[in-house]
Amino acid sequence: MPSLTEWTSVYSFFYDTSTEAQSSLPHFIIDKKRFLNTFFAQPTALWLIMTAFALRHISSDVLALSYFDRAKLEATQETEAPSFKTIQTLFLISNYATGIKDKATSHLFMELTLDLLARLRLSCEQDESVQSDEDTTIEGFRTVSRIFYTVKCEIFVFRAISSRSDSPSGTESCNLGIQKARLPRPLLMLPDIGTNYQTVLSYFNSASFLAIISSAKRHHCSEPPALVHDLLFSPAIRSLTTRLNAIQDSLRGSLLFQPLPHNFQTHGTLSHSILSQQIHFMSHLSNRGCMEQSASVELSCASNAAVCVALRPALYLTGFLHQDSPLLHHVPTRKSLQAALEKCLAASSCIADLASFLIAATRLDSSSSTPGAFHVSATLWEILPNFKFALFEAAVTLWFLACRTKAVFFPVTHSKAVFKDKVVASLMDVLLALSILGATPDLSLDLPAFSPLERCVQAMLCEVQGSALSYCPKSALDTDPSCYLGLLGVQLDCDSVEWNSAWETKWADFWKKAGDNSYLIHKD
């Protein structure tokens, strides 16, 4: 049985107003008032792991580790007769293990968490069949279970799509059940859980966008199509983009950093409407807690990264098709290429603009009296697990548009050199954002270092500027860094920057064929 000392430690942790405490996982999934009122009746493993979180927060690392070890032992016994609180416990243990860099334990308890979510049927509509704990109301229980499911989707899909494995088969199971999840009604949200309806909605939609990215990755990384026509008019990609558009349309008018229509003439300029929208978004962020800020940024990133990933092969055709190719005189093909280009430009610009705003908002003194100024805490950068991958997608898209897309796709009245200047500014902000993310400890997930992505973006920036990348050794990127898609068979001008994965060679061969003027539009 816990002691009053342990209760006091957890109480102090729950009501600590620091950003670090308020952005931790327990604040997101625990009803703190109910938990404290029933602390001495809580399952042993749950109060042990909560005490571990509290002690680690006050730097009692050795003592916290002893509670963590005891929680692991108790939790494995409680899985024999699991309840919803068992899932909370397993998830907290996995998160704690991530924080202390215990990767094996983190993955083990995450797998147990996902398994129990399925066994207790919390990942589908049939939540009325699940028995609630005695101290939790039926509606409150269903609400928390749906919150938990949205978090589960976010983490599970994210881990699958950022895998460095050459085989994309690891993404196969992560889409299961996402469409079955049901959002809680706003009035059912529990007031003492450190989140609100908008945050849950953001995570729910982020999971849906991540599922689209996962499906697109699986499609792109299986086998390149036989013909260019098959790439442009793929039923699978058409279905994904239809789903993507439907989700984005449902979010119009919400607090989402959405791209407005861009083209080569307007890229890099801020119209009054765009500026107003972005300022409104950032003002919203500056008045919210770190978890709400993270959820909003992640949603905007996932929404736009999904566009870049799904349409990347179509975008690449604007650089690889021969200028005399009959495909460019085929009206449906030309329209499809132009549409993909415009959408990718808008989405990548949005991600780069968001990076610029966050950099400026983080640097700004929170006490600034400048009219219209806004500020976000530097801690926000520590809880953006997907931001780095969205940044890389934006960098690849902008670099390709600036360096590889053929002049025929640029308006005759517009200089590509001017566009390149705009891209240089965007890539510099992307590179700075990646360096900030690489310099901060990742509180959300245990992932490899991001220096390969930074080096790759640096090479892209040098190519756009027309300068040489002299410091990069030959083997610098002779790996498969964690990312959504890689370079998909495209080589940078810098010979020392290489991307190593099974599908890169296959796509490189496809692009060579696509540049052949005799390559067919249709099958015979």
Side-chain angles (χ1 to χ4, degrees):
M1 178 176 290
S3 66
L4 185 59
T5 301
E6 290 151 342
W7 182 92
T8 303
S9 297
V10 175
Y11 176 89
S12 299
F13 171 66
F14 270 142
Y15 289 96
D16 187 330
T17 57
S18 68
T19 301
E20 181 182 358
Q22 291 297 317
S23 62
S24 64
L25 181 65
H27 284 269
F28 189 61
I29 65 172
I30 296 289
D31 179 348
K32 58 187 178 184
K33 182 179 292 186
R34 187 183 297 274
F35 183 82
L36 289 170
N37 287 342
T38 59
F39 185 80
F40 297 96
Q42 293 291 338
T44 303
L46 184 54
W47 69 257
L48 281 171
I49 191 59
M50 280 305 307
T51 304
F53 270 99
L55 293 173
R56 191 181 69 174
H57 179 62
I58 60 174
S59 300
S60 298
D61 293 340
V62 175
L63 186 56
L65 192 58
S66 69
Y67 277 89
F68 172 65
D69 290 336
R70 289 170 59 191
K72 288 189 294 182
L73 292 174
E74 289 289 340
T76 54
Q77 298 176 14
E78 292 176 6
T79 56
E80 297 177 2
S83 66
F84 177 70
K85 288 184 177 180
T86 309
I87 298 178
Q88 286 179 304
T89 303
L90 296 175
F91 197 7
L92 288 168
I93 291 174
S94 175
N95 180 263
Y96 188 97
T98 296
I100 62 173
K101 307 302 180 184
D102 185 351
K103 186 174 182 179
T105 299
S106 175
H107 288 184
L108 171 62
F109 279 85
M110 177 55 68
E111 289 175 1
L112 291 173
T113 302
L114 298 174
D115 178 62
L116 280 188
L117 279 166
R119 284 171 55 190
L120 295 183
R121 307 172 75 183
L122 295 183
S123 60
C124 61
E125 290 287 352
Q126 300 168 337
D127 52 6
E128 65 274 2
S129 65
V130 184
Q131 296 299 315
S132 65
D133 298 323
E134 292 182 0
D135 63 342
T136 308
T137 65
I138 293 293
E139 289 300 334
F141 173 77
R142 292 175 182 170
T143 297
V144 178
S145 70
R146 292 177 200 138
I147 295 173
F148 219 98
Y149 183 58
T150 61
V151 177
K152 169 253 189 179
C153 287
E154 172 89 4
I155 292 178
F156 190 32
V157 177
F158 163 69
R159 284 186 168 174
I161 61 183
S162 62
S163 170
R164 290 187 295 176
S165 169
D166 282 345
S167 171
S169 60
T171 64
E172 193 71 41
S173 61
C174 65
N175 293 330
L176 298 179
I178 286 184
Q179 298 303 320
K180 298 179 182 178
R182 185 175 61 188
L183 280 169
R185 296 193 299 275
L187 295 178
L188 296 183
M189 296 302 299
L190 299 180
D192 293 307
I193 292 182
T195 186
N196 58 28
Y197 182 72
Q198 185 63 44
T199 302
V200 175
L201 183 63
S202 294
Y203 274 113
F204 182 88
N205 286 307
S206 290
S208 298
F209 285 126
L210 289 169
I212 290 173
I213 293 175
S214 173
S215 297
K217 176 179 180 177
R218 186 169 63 251
H219 178 81
H220 295 331
C221 299
S222 52
E223 287 289 337
L227 300 170
V228 170
H229 177 273
D230 297 337
L231 185 156
L232 283 172
F233 302 101
S234 163
I237 295 300
R238 184 173 296 178
S239 174
L240 284 177
T241 54
T242 298
R243 202 165 104 214
L244 173 59
N245 293 336
I247 301 173
Q248 289 180 330
D249 288 344
S250 71
L251 296 175
R252 301 298 179 193
S254 65
L255 284 171
L256 179 67
F257 201 83
Q258 296 173 344
L260 295 182
H262 280 66
N263 54 47
F264 288 113
Q265 289 94 333
T266 62
H267 176 69
T269 63
L270 285 176
S271 67
H272 177 72
S273 59
I274 295 175
L275 185 60
S276 297
Q277 180 192 38
Q278 293 178 341
I279 289 177
H280 181 52
F281 177 87
M282 295 305 297
S283 297
H284 167 77
L285 285 192
S286 64
N287 295 318
R288 297 295 185 272
C290 250
M291 287 305 297
E292 294 174 67
Q293 292 176 346
S294 173
S296 296
V297 172
E298 291 282 282
L299 175 59
S300 293
C301 287
S303 170
N304 290 291
V307 175
C308 294
V309 172
L311 299 179
R312 176 99 76 84
L315 173 68
Y316 277 6
L317 285 176
T318 65
F320 284 106
L321 283 178
H322 192 278
Q323 61 183 4
D324 296 324
S325 172
L327 288 167
L328 295 180
H329 302 286
H330 184 241
V331 176
T333 300
R334 184 62 180 264
K335 286 184 177 180
S336 181
L337 288 172
Q338 199 68 44
L341 184 151
E342 294 290 343
K343 289 178 181 178
C344 287
L345 173 60
S348 58
S349 299
C350 185
I351 295 171
D353 288 348
L354 181 54
S356 303
F357 271 81
L358 288 178
I359 291 169
T362 305
R363 287 175 169 173
L364 188 66
D365 187 345
S366 59
S367 61
S368 173
S369 58
T370 304
F374 46 81
H375 172 80
V376 296
S377 169
T379 306
L380 174 62
W381 292 86
E382 301 174 5
I383 51 175
L384 296 174
N386 295 314
F387 194 23
K388 58 193 72 69
F389 304 116
L391 286 169
F392 187 71
E393 282 301 316
V396 173
T397 300
L398 291 171
W399 158 75
F400 193 90
L401 284 165
C403 296
R404 304 302 172 85
T405 294
K406 286 185 167 55
V408 67
F409 290 98
F410 282 77
V412 295
T413 58
H414 188 70
S415 169
K416 191 170 182 179
V418 174
F419 176 70
K420 281 190 174 184
D421 290 340
K422 307 295 186 182
V423 171
V424 166
S426 294
L427 288 181
M428 290 180 69
D429 280 338
V430 167
L431 192 59
L432 178 56
L434 284 172
S435 67
I436 295 173
L437 290 166
T440 57
D442 194 327
L443 303 182
S444 305
L445 294 169
D446 185 17
L447 292 169
F450 308 119
S451 56
L453 299 188
E454 293 177 55
R455 292 186 181 185
C456 195
V457 175
Q458 179 67 60
M460 294 174 185
L461 178 58
C462 289
E463 186 174 333
V464 177
Q465 292 175 316
S467 57
L469 185 63
S470 58
Y471 69 85
C472 192
K474 176 66 178 176
S475 60
L477 282 181
D478 191 20
T479 57
D480 182 16
S482 292
C483 65
Y484 288 146
L485 203 56
L487 293 178
L488 210 62
V490 177
Q491 294 293 319
L492 293 165
D493 278 354
C494 176
D495 292 335
S496 60
V497 177
E498 299 177 351
W499 206 278
N500 178 27
S501 64
W503 55 80
E504 292 289 330
T505 302
K506 296 177 181 179
W507 274 102
D509 292 339
F510 176 82
W511 300 127
K512 290 178 182 177
K513 293 178 181 178
D516 184 349
N517 200 26
S518 63
Y519 206 55
L520 296 176
I521 300 176
H522 298 285
K523 294 180 181 179
D524 290 333

